[in-house]
Structures are given as structure tokens and as C-alpha cells.
Amino acid sequence: MATAAPGTVALELRDVSKTFGQVVALSSGSLTVTTGSIHALVGENGAGKSTMVKIIAGLYRPDGGTYALFGEAVDFRTTAEAKDAGIAVIYQEPTLFPDLSVTENIFMGRQPRGRLGRIDRKAMDTEARALFARLGVPIDPERPADGLSIADQQIIEIAKAISLDARVLIMDEPTAALSGVEVERLMTIARALRDEGRALVFISHRFDEVFSLCDTITVMRDGAYVSTDRIADVTVDDIVRRLVGRDVDDLYPKQEAEIGEVVLEISGLTRAGLFHDVDLQVRRGEIVGLAGLVGAGRSEIVQAAFGVDPYDAGTVKVNGKKVPPNDPAAAIRLGIALVPEDRRKHGLVLDSTITRNITMAIRRRLSRAGLLSSGAEVTTARDWASRLEVKTTTLDTLAGTLSGGNQQKVVLAKWLSTRPDVLIVDEPTRGIDVGTKAEVHRLLSELAGEGMAVLMISSELPEVLGMADRVVVVHEGRITAELNREDATPEAVMYAATNTQGASA
Amino acid sequence: MTSLIHPSDTSTQQRARTYRDHQRPLWQRVLFSRDVAVWAALVVVYLYASATVPFFDRPITITYLLLDVAPILLIALPMTLVIITGEIDLSVASTVALASVSFGVLYDKGAPIVLAAVAALLVGVVCGAFNGFLVTVVGLPSLAVTIGTLALYRGIAVGLLGTTAITDFPDGWTDWARGRIGESDIPSIMIPFAVLAIAFIILLHFTAFGRGVYAIGLSEGAARFSGIRVERTKLILFVLAGAVSALAGIYYTLRYGSARGDNANGMELQVIAAVLLGGVSIFGGRGALPGVIAGVLLIGAIGSALRLADQTADVINIVTGLLLVVSVVGSSVLGWISSKRRRRGAPEPQHDSTGSGTTGSGQTEPGNTLTDTDGPVGERERDDR
């Protein structure tokens, strides 16, 4: 049990630095977290948050500066040492053993022993149940970890941290992939842990969560400490200004565009158990927002329309031409582009270069007499990388080493290079920083202004409301509302997203 | 940014950023590649054996070396592509045998030899297509499928001929299979091999299809989402592996003047060993054909040198086996060390670690200066699996 009185300094980093070769990842990071507090750590991607977390977790050793835990200077060589000292990190996507039970995952490597050195399953099970009861989460400790939602997997990581009696918990963007209800549950647990006197660090790009959960906020920019304030003393605008070092006047720079004829027409699209009778039209110059809860079937609909997933009934047309099912190559040829939700798994080949990634979908068009030259690839890639302002020095950098925002720019470059008529973007700004987010929004708006039909899936309501000309709401695989920009209020969208009755088109 | 969609505007538009195409100059990328390392090893082994093993430096050694490794050279070509997609084909040697037996039996029953050869090639195509069907349409893992067909095709081959052999083939054909190009020491079979090698190098390294092969091996999901026809690509590769194996089977039959069910027994392992030695990753996505060709020749040269030095077949097997383990383990260890160093932050993390010559001397070029501190390194999303 954490015993320190609330307000004791638990974690203190001062002017910590870390360089990789000539690249400075962290120039002077400072962070002071007290017990009984939830401390927000915010910064754009590339600001050095993750590097600092990795130093705290013992994954990196700092090149300079001081690092103290409860007043004692520490120098962790391994993550195990940090764990023993009471530090736990909860990542955005936990890594559990899928085939083992929840209990086994919690006690991995330190199972209680009974007589003859056998694992004491009963003791393990009792403690696991007690942990979940304390967290107030009904997870069956005997079920396998495989198939648990990301939210539940995070809870298991938290349970593990508590059973290790971690005094400092760091949550690295835990809510990025969670739905509203799951976020609420996580926040309740976080508050309970705070009240037990633990020190929590909460990293998030979502300011509404930061402001409702945390009591203190530290801002980082360009690898350096900027400020620490009590949350009550600052506003979102203050924080955003400090994050980017300038005013972000408009996060949602929606331009007026001339809306033309129908380009994408989905009618009666059905796949048993996932979505039913989906009718959807997107016109030239229009941005249509596809809203709904996580798991409502939005990604499944667009993936079926694009051809990577099958469907049972219905048709998809682009410019009046039928798109054959199960054939992404044909969909691309007819002018559809899909920026997928899972950037790292579906959007990019992480172990391939920026050049190869950008030219992947147009490799046949770049061929001359069937032959493809590196020269043609590099020329095209250089052109698109510079239009989207991808931050890198060389084009043969592996895509996996770029920051999230830059990876997304590479994916966008890849799809814009196909010169699509319809651009489908699935969670285009997930996990990317405020500055790049605004860039992506401006880009989408410009594309629509130039006559592209844009279909945008987003779980961030402000994004949908800020960017879309029309909002289509999906609930459990059915379209429950279609709202024009002026009618699309947060209430109207959430009502349609959660409740099928009463919502009219 | 004036217009994003229309390219004509970019010529006048001022570029926000400029990029270098590559981190290292061309000569470094070529020199420090795995392919060059394998070729260098081949040269070293050749020179060392020429100096120390009696008779190794005679031209006849090269002739026999090439005659012996020709089937492996041939099959290694499609096998490289199959392994780069992350699949494997263990049934190639059984396909060699089945094609050999089909060729022999048909000729023996009075079919014209050209027809028998074409039929044998078709047998290979069918064998490959069956593997490909089970892997891509039914969705079974290729390792399991081809272990099964390894036994199946071999079983059919042995069943067709029993323990007998067909040994009577037209002299013109067998002489050609054992012959050389003109007055040179190079066997005639190297002509069809060279043609195929160039075709496969173009296919893998200079076509859209080849880009797809690498993409599938590195990330099947991303390949599918990019419009690459994953199943079709794999099916084509399995068919190619079957067809080329059949061609090797015909050659094998003519070279030894014998169609038998146990021809080329165990050759699949030699092929795979050579492909991996040549720098192809068993996990897919990495490797190149020039290195594979050197890998086959390297294994052949070592075997030939040891044989001339009066070593037994067991010793040769042990040495090639060790070589394979060392090369596979070696590249894994190198990769592990460089990722470890990267994590600890020693060298610059953007450099790839695949080249065997680049053991992280921390190459940093002048262009790589302060302009990009915000970008790639600070926040690579969790590289800490």
C-alpha cells in the first residue's frame, strides 16, 4: 500500500536530456509529480513525452539531468529495476499473453508458490478477484486475455500495477482507442488510485479528458519543459498556445466548397451481423462525417465498400460505375482511396521506406512497358512528400521510424498520389498532435474545395462537427440519422449514436 | 500549397522541404549489402580452395560445380520469391522427382521427347497450382501444406516407377545436358539458367509485381489495403516454383540419364539453405536474387572443395549445415545487437540494420543536422515491443 502523505514529491525529473546520434530527442525535460495527484503531461508528437516516459520506465538512460523517486536519486538500467522501485507504465495498447488467462497475465513471472513449489492457483485466483472487486470492474479472471477489448486489457495492466503496489503510474495515451463509456470507467479508476495516495501521470491529446481528470498540467515543446500549472489556473487556449508555441487560430479550418454531383453511392450494403442496408452518398466537394460509437460498424462499412472486406448484398458505385466486390485494386482504379484506421498495420509497411510506401498503390501506373524504375518511384515520392510536408531528411527512411503525424502524412501522400475522386479517411487524426491535426484538417478541407468527395470517419465529435458538411450517424450497423451541418449538434449526434428510436433522417 | 490534386501547379510552387533520396551514397549501399558480402565470401572460398585443395583450380572443377548446382540454381529463383512473401515450398524436390518420372515414363511409352518434356512441365505446374490452391484458397499454412505434398508427390513418383529406372534417352538430349557452351568451360544449362535468372531478377526487382512480393512479406495487411492481390500473387509464385522445379527435373533426368522416383531426394533443403544463406529472411520481406545466386554457388563451391579434399558427404553436410546456422543466427544476432544499441541510443536510429557490413559505425552525414530534431526520433511510437 502506498503510504506517503498526499502532496509528497513522488517523482522528480530535472533537466533530463537524451540524444540519439545527432538528434536531440529530449533537451531538458522536467516533471515533478506529487502523491495523491493526477498530473497531465501534454505536448505535440515529437515534443519528447515518450522519450521521458521511457527514461522514467528504465528503458532509456538519460544523458544528463537528475531523476529522483521519493527524494532519492535513481539510475535504472532496466525496466525491471524501475518496476521494483514502484513504477508502472500503462501503454495505449497493452501487450498481454493472449492464450493465458487474465489471472496468469497479472501474475506473470511472480506466481505465488504453494507446497512443493507448485503454483498456488487458488491464492492467485483469490487475489485477482479481490483486485477486480477493488477496481469495480467485472472481468472474469479465468477467461483468456485473447478477445478482451483494449479497455479491459488496460484494466488488467492496472490490476497488475496495483498488485505490484506501484506508487507511480504512468498512463501513455490510454484513452486513444477507447469509447466514451470506457474512458469514463478508466477515469473513475484513476481517481480511486489517486485517492489511495498514488502518483499518476496521464498523457493525452484530448483536452476535455485532461481538464476533467487532472489537477496539474505540465506542457512540453520541442524536447523541453515549458510550464507546470494547476489545472484550475489555465484554459484550453492557454495550453494549446504553449503546445505549439503560437496561436492555433482554427483547428477546424472548414472552407466553403461548391457541392456537385454524387461521386460515391453506396446502396443497400449489408453484411450479416455487422451492418445492414446502408445507403450513403458523397458528392463532389463535400465532406461527409460518419459518426457513431466505436464498434458501431463504420470501419467495416467503408472497408467493404473499398473491397478489402466482403459483403452479402448491396452495391457500391463511383461516378455511376459499379465497384466490384472484394477487389481493392479495382476500387483504386475507379477512384476510391481509403486511409485506414490502423495506420501501423494497414496504412503502412513499417519496415519499408517512405518512397516505397508512397508509391505502393500506384506502382503499376509508374511502370513503363511493365518495368518499374527506382528513379520514377523516388521522383513521385519526393513530389508528394514535399506537398504534404513530411518531416524527414531522406526518402529511404523506414516509415516505422517516423512520428505518428508524419506516418499519417505518408499514408495521405500514398493515397493522394492515386488521384482519387473519393477519399475515405478512417480516424485521420488519431494519435497525432494538435499541430499536425490542424494540418490534416486544412488538407481535407482544401481537397474538398478542389472537388474531391471526402468521407471521414471520426470518433472525435468536435472533429466531425467542425469538418463535415453533412453528418451520417451509425448505430449498431444501421444508419440512424443524417444531419446537415447546421442541424448537427453534439446532442443530436450522440442521441442518434446511442439510441435508434426517435432519430429521424 | 495551391493545389494538391493537380500536379501542374507544383512546378511553380515553392517546395517547403527538400529531401535527399538516400541516407548513404550508392557505392555504400551497394558495397555494404548482404549480396556483396555473399559474393565476397564466394570469392574468398574460391581463392582459398584454389590455393590449398589439389585440382580445385582446374577449369573442369567449375564445369562440374555448375552442372551439379544447376537444379538448385534454377529452383532457388522462384523459391526466393516464395520465401520473400513469407511462405515456403518444401515440395520442390518431390516435384523434381515427379516431373522426372513423368518425363521418363511418357518417353518410355513412346511419346515424342518434346511432348514428354512439355507434359513434365505441366505436371510441375499442376503440383505448384495444387500447393497454391491449398495455401491461398483454402487458407492453410504453406509449411504444413508443402510438407504434405512433399510426401504426396514423392509417393506418386516412386509409385509410378517402383524401384526401377528409365535410363534410355536420346543421346542428343543427354549430351546437351552434360555439354558445354562451345569451347568454354561453362555448361550449356547455364544458358537457360541465365535467361531465367534475368527474367526473375526483372520480375522481383524491376516490376510492380515484385514490389508487391516484398510488401506482402513485410505486411500482408498493408499490402491488401494497397490493392495488391495477395492471393493471386502467392498462387502465381507457387505455380512458378512448380514449373521451374519440373524444368530442373527434366534437366536432372537428362544429366544423369536416369528417371527415378528417388531423384533429387532432400534437394528442397539444399535450395532453402542456399536461399537463406544468400540473405533472404525466412520471415519474409527481405533479400535479393544476386545474393541468392551467390549463396547457391557458395554452398556448391564448399561442397566441391571438400569432396576434392577427400572429405565424406557427412562432413560436407555438417559444414553446409553449420554455415547456414551461422548465417541465419549471425544476421539475427547482428539485428538484435543493433536494435539493442538503438534502444540504448548509441547510433542514429534511422539507419537500417539489414546490411551485414553496417555494424553501426554511427554514420552520420553532414546533412543530418539540427533541421529535424522534431521529427523521426523523439516520438517514434512505441518501439519497445
Side-chain angles (χ1 to χ4, degrees):
Chain A
M1 209 32 12
T3 46
T8 316
V9 173
L11 175 72
E12 186 171 25
L13 285 98
R14 199 163 287 282
D15 296 329
V16 175
S17 63
K18 182 76 194 167
T19 53
F20 298 94
Q22 297 187 349
V23 180
V24 183
L26 189 61
S27 58
S28 71
S30 296
L31 180 69
T32 306
V33 185
T34 56
T35 55
S37 153
I38 304 180
H39 196 116
L41 179 60
V42 296
E44 300 192 75
N45 284 347
K49 300 184 306 282
S50 291
T51 309
M52 199 147 88
V53 168
K54 283 171 189 164
I55 288 172
I56 296 172
L59 202 63
Y60 293 155
R61 287 177 77 183
D63 297 333
T66 59
Y67 174 9
L69 262 186
F70 293 95
E72 281 175 43
V74 289
D75 179 19
F76 298 131
R77 285 154 200 280
T78 63
T79 51
E81 286 179 21
K83 251 180 220 159
D84 291 342
I87 290 183
V89 182
I90 317 293
Y91 289 105
Q92 185 179 336
E93 283 159 32
T95 42
L96 299 176
F97 297 93
D99 295 327
L100 297 182
S101 75
V102 168
T103 308
E104 283 166 323
N105 267 293
I106 293 177
F107 293 98
M108 180 46 65
R110 50 191 186 86
Q111 294 89 344
R113 297 290 168 84
R115 268 178 303 166
L116 303 171
R118 288 173 62 230
I119 291 175
D120 188 348
R121 288 187 173 277
K122 206 173 245 172
M124 211 157 80
D125 194 57
T126 317
E127 194 176 334
R129 279 177 202 286
L131 279 170
F132 287 121
R134 196 164 135 201
L135 293 172
V137 182
I139 296 177
D140 176 9
E142 281 168 34
R143 63 157 294 163
D146 193 29
L148 283 173
S149 68
I150 286 181
D152 285 344
Q153 293 180 33
Q154 286 174 348
I155 302 283
I156 289 167
E157 290 283 355
I158 293 173
K160 198 163 156 183
I162 298 174
S163 80
L164 279 164
D165 198 23
R167 296 176 294 174
V168 178
L169 271 92
I170 295 158
M171 301 185 173
D172 192 356
E173 282 195 58
T175 56
L178 304 194
S179 68
V181 188
E182 293 169 332
V183 171
E184 274 306 319
R185 186 178 67 173
L186 185 71
M187 284 165 59
T188 311
I189 291 174
R191 290 191 185 99
L193 295 174
R194 173 196 63 195
D195 295 340
E196 287 177 6
R198 296 175 208 273
L200 280 83
V201 178
F202 182 78
I203 300 176
S204 176
H205 287 304
R206 297 187 187 167
F207 293 119
D208 49 338
E209 293 168 7
V210 166
F211 275 81
S212 76
L213 180 66
C214 305
D215 44 58
T216 321
I217 183 165
T218 292
V219 179
M220 291 182 73
R221 185 175 70 234
D222 299 336
Y225 168 86
V226 176
S227 66
T228 299
D229 292 282
R230 291 194 332 130
I231 211 101
D233 300 342
V234 286
T235 64
V236 174
D237 286 346
D238 297 336
I239 298 299
V240 170
R241 235 186 333 270
R242 288 178 198 166
L243 277 179
V244 294
R246 63 190 141 83
D247 281 307
V248 176
D249 34 32
D250 202 356
L251 189 51
Y252 305 111
K254 177 74 182 94
Q255 299 174 352
E256 285 306 311
E258 201 177 310
I259 292 175
E261 72 277 20
V262 172
V263 182
L264 175 70
E265 187 173 12
I266 296 174
S267 26
L269 204 68
T270 299
R271 185 172 179 197
L274 289 173
F275 49 86
H276 308 276
D277 229 359
V278 173
D279 293 320
L280 190 64
Q281 294 183 340
V282 189
R283 295 166 179 276
R284 271 178 72 83
E286 187 183 37
I287 300 181
V288 173
L290 204 52
L293 300 177
V294 171
R298 295 168 300 163
S299 301
E300 288 79 0
I301 293 169
V302 297
Q303 287 180 12
F306 184 65
V308 284
D309 287 347
Y311 52 87
D312 302 328
T315 54
V316 180
K317 283 185 186 165
V318 174
N319 294 322
K321 285 192 206 116
K322 194 174 176 304
V323 181
N326 300 318
D327 193 352
I332 294 168
R333 226 174 15 249
L334 288 166
I336 309 185
L338 172 66
V339 174
E341 181 182 17
D342 192 334
R343 188 162 58 226
R344 300 173 63 85
K345 219 164 134 191
H346 298 144
L348 290 170
V349 178
L350 295 177
D351 288 330
S352 200
T353 62
I354 293 174
T355 302
R356 289 282 172 90
N357 270 293
I358 290 181
T359 56
M360 188 164 290
I362 50 165
R363 62 202 192 292
R364 292 206 186 275
R365 285 182 221 175
L366 288 178
S367 304
R368 291 280 164 270
L371 297 185
L372 183 58
S373 73
S374 305
E377 288 177 302
V378 167
T379 310
T380 308
R382 193 189 299 124
D383 183 22
W384 284 100
S386 73
R387 282 196 227 180
L388 290 171
E389 298 176 24
V390 175
K391 288 179 189 166
T392 181
T393 45
T394 57
L395 291 169
D396 66 350
T397 302
L398 297 185
T401 63
L402 297 172
S403 71
N406 273 312
Q407 286 184 355
Q408 190 69 316
K409 286 182 181 178
V410 173
V411 181
L412 282 163
K414 162 180 164 182
W415 286 110
L416 292 180
S417 76
T418 67
R419 306 192 183 288
D421 292 323
V422 187
L423 178 67
I424 305 174
V425 287
D426 194 347
E427 302 287 0
T429 61
R430 172 176 289 174
I432 67 181
D433 56 86
V434 181
T436 315
K437 218 172 194 170
E439 270 182 74
V440 170
H441 290 150
R442 194 167 55 242
L443 177 73
L444 292 177
S445 187
E446 277 176 23
L447 290 169
E450 287 172 30
M452 199 177 281
V454 179
L455 179 60
M456 180 180 76
I457 296 181
S458 174
S459 296
E460 283 189 47
L461 210 43
E463 186 170 84
V464 174
L465 301 180
M467 295 302 300
D469 294 298
R470 200 150 52 86
V471 180
V472 173
V473 188
V474 181
H475 171 73
E476 292 184 354
R478 285 174 201 279
I479 290 179
T480 50
E482 214 174 310
L483 307 159
N484 287 323
R485 187 172 173 79
E486 48 277 17
D487 304 329
T489 60
E491 294 76 23
V493 173
M494 284 319 290
Y495 185 66
T498 50
N499 184 359
T500 42
Q501 273 101 50
S504 57
Chain B
M1 259 189 298
T2 45
S3 169
L4 279 154
I5 316 177
H6 305 292
S8 51
D9 304 339
T10 54
S11 49
T12 52
Q13 168 193 344
Q14 203 202 332
R15 288 256 164 77
R17 301 182 79 93
T18 53
Y19 304 102
R20 282 178 300 128
D21 298 345
H22 299 283
Q23 287 159 14
R24 291 178 287 158
L26 181 67
W27 67 269
Q28 278 189 13
R29 276 180 285 133
V30 171
L31 199 63
F32 295 146
S33 68
R34 169 83 181 225
D35 298 53
V36 170
V38 186
W39 280 103
L42 176 62
V43 170
V44 168
V45 166
Y46 183 79
L47 293 178
Y48 180 77
S50 297
T52 56
V53 179
F55 309 116
F56 188 82
D57 57 348
R58 303 254 177 104
I60 190 85
T61 312
I62 292 192
T63 309
Y64 273 94
L65 170 63
L66 291 177
L67 279 172
D68 289 346
V69 298
I72 302 177
L73 274 174
L74 286 168
I75 302 170
L77 298 173
M79 184 67 87
T80 301
L81 276 66
V82 169
I83 295 181
I84 287 175
T85 62
E87 303 290 344
I88 198 159
D89 187 349
L90 292 172
S91 71
V92 285
S94 300
T95 307
V96 168
L98 187 53
S100 165
V101 168
S102 313
F103 178 57
V105 168
L106 282 171
Y107 178 66
D108 193 46
K109 295 273 188 265
I113 189 149
V114 175
L115 190 69
V118 170
L121 282 177
L122 280 178
V123 166
V125 168
V126 170
C127 289
F130 184 61
N131 286 334
F133 170 80
L134 291 177
V135 172
T136 61
V137 181
V138 185
L140 301 172
S142 56
L143 185 69
V145 165
T146 57
I147 283 178
T149 54
L150 175 150
L152 176 68
Y153 302 157
R154 177 72 67 183
I156 299 174
V158 173
L160 278 174
L161 264 188
T163 51
T164 60
I166 290 161
T167 52
D168 185 30
F169 292 97
D171 288 345
W173 284 61
T174 51
D175 287 349
W176 183 86
R178 292 167 194 152
R180 305 177 206 174
I181 306 169
E183 296 296 308
S184 71
D185 303 315
I186 310 293
S188 313
I189 184 66
M190 287 300 117
I191 294 175
F193 167 72
V195 171
L196 271 180
I198 290 167
F200 272 96
I201 286 174
I202 289 174
L203 183 67
L204 180 61
H205 298 295
F206 300 99
T207 67
F209 181 88
R211 295 290 189 270
V213 168
Y214 281 102
I216 291 169
L218 290 172
S219 171
E220 207 171 301
R224 202 181 299 280
F225 271 76
S226 307
I228 292 166
R229 294 176 162 132
V230 176
E231 274 72 33
R232 186 191 292 187
T233 303
K234 287 184 179 174
L235 184 64
I236 289 172
L237 294 183
F238 276 106
V239 169
L240 283 175
V244 175
S245 299
L247 183 68
I250 295 167
Y251 164 75
Y252 196 101
T253 314
L254 294 170
R255 149 104 158 96
Y256 296 103
S258 166
R260 292 170 57 94
D262 62 355
N263 272 354
N265 213 349
M267 191 188 279
E268 66 279 340
L269 294 181
Q270 287 171 286
V271 172
I272 291 165
V275 169
L276 298 187
L277 186 64
V280 175
S281 163
I282 190 74
F283 304 111
R286 281 174 232 281
L289 278 169
V292 168
I293 293 169
V296 179
L297 295 176
L298 179 60
I299 286 189
I302 290 172
S304 153
L306 289 172
R307 222 171 291 126
L308 281 170
D310 282 335
Q311 300 295 333
T312 60
D314 304 330
V315 175
I316 297 170
N317 280 341
I318 291 170
V319 170
T320 45
L322 277 178
L323 196 64
L324 178 66
V325 171
V326 166
S327 90
V328 172
V329 171
S331 55
S332 301
V333 167
L334 277 181
W336 181 77
I337 289 172
S338 70
S339 78
K340 205 74 183 162
R341 293 179 57 153
R342 236 180 321 182
R343 196 171 301 179
R344 287 289 157 204
E348 217 276 354
Q350 286 177 50
H351 294 287
D352 73 346
S353 53
T354 47
S356 58
T358 61
T359 39
S361 50
Q363 325 90 324
T364 34
E365 289 157 75
N368 219 347
T369 44
L370 295 168
T371 50
D372 241 76
T373 48
D374 52 355
V377 184
E379 198 114 350
R380 282 177 293 141
E381 294 178 14
R382 311 181 46 205
D383 56 347
D384 50 295
R385 283 150 283 239

